[in-house]
Amino acid sequence: MLVERWKWIRVRDPVVLQLREGAVVRSMVGSAQICWVRHDGQLHALEDRCPHQGAALSFGQLEDGLLVCPLHRYRFDPATGRSPDGEGERAVLVPLEIRVDGVYLGRQVMGLRLFGVDVF
C-alpha cells in the first residue's frame, strides 16, 4: 500500500545554523530552495517563492516582524505564512524541527508499506 510519510533532512549549512536575529537568507536543502528567517528567537523555513508572482522571498527583508517580498512588497508572517494585509496569498511553510543533534526540514514523500512495515 502506498502511504504518505515525512522524510526529515538534516540542515548542515552553517549560515542557517548561525543565523542572527532579523536575518533572511536562502539555502538549498536537498533540491529545495528554502528562505530562512530568524524572528523573536525562532527559526522559520519557507519555500523561497512568493505566492503572488514567484519572486525569491530570500531577497526580501524582515520589517516589523513580517517578511517583505522584494518584488511587490507583499508581507508574510514567517511563523504562519499568512499575509496581514488580506491579499489572500499565503507563503508556503516548510516543516521544521529543532532536535538535540541539529535542525531538520520535513518533506512529505510517498512510501510503500507492506504488512505494517515501511519499506521505503
Side-chain angles (χ1 to χ4, degrees):
M1 161 175 27
L2 289 176
V3 294
E4 287 186 2
R5 63 182 182 84
W6 289 99
K7 177 180 180 182
W8 293 93
I9 302 169
R10 187 171 180 191
V11 177
R12 299 186 186 274
D13 188 340
V15 173
V16 172
L17 300 175
Q18 299 169 4
L19 195 63
R20 68 180 180 1
E21 181 69 24
V24 178
V25 70
R26 167 197 269 180
S27 80
M28 293 291 292
V29 178
S31 61
Q33 291 184 353
I34 304 297
C35 174
W36 297 91
V37 178
R38 184 169 297 277
H39 175 62
D40 281 343
Q42 298 293 316
L43 187 61
H44 305 282
L46 302 96
E47 287 185 5
D48 194 19
R49 184 181 178 285
C50 178
H52 175 238
Q53 286 195 349
L57 289 173
S58 60
F59 294 147
Q61 59 192 7
L62 202 62
E63 293 178 4
D64 299 322
L66 298 172
L67 179 59
V68 180
C69 175
L71 194 56
H72 293 112
R73 298 201 42 86
Y74 275 46
R75 302 177 314 146
F76 303 97
D77 182 332
T80 65
R82 291 185 180 167
S83 173
D85 299 327
E87 285 103 4
E89 305 283 354
R90 182 181 228 170
V92 178
L93 297 178
V94 179
L96 171 71
E97 283 189 2
I98 309 278
R99 301 180 186 171
V100 173
D101 63 337
V103 175
Y104 289 81
L105 282 185
R107 267 189 32 208
Q108 205 164 26
V109 296
M110 292 299 289
L112 180 64
R113 182 174 292 158
L114 295 173
F115 305 109
V117 177
D118 288 339
V119 177
F120 69 90

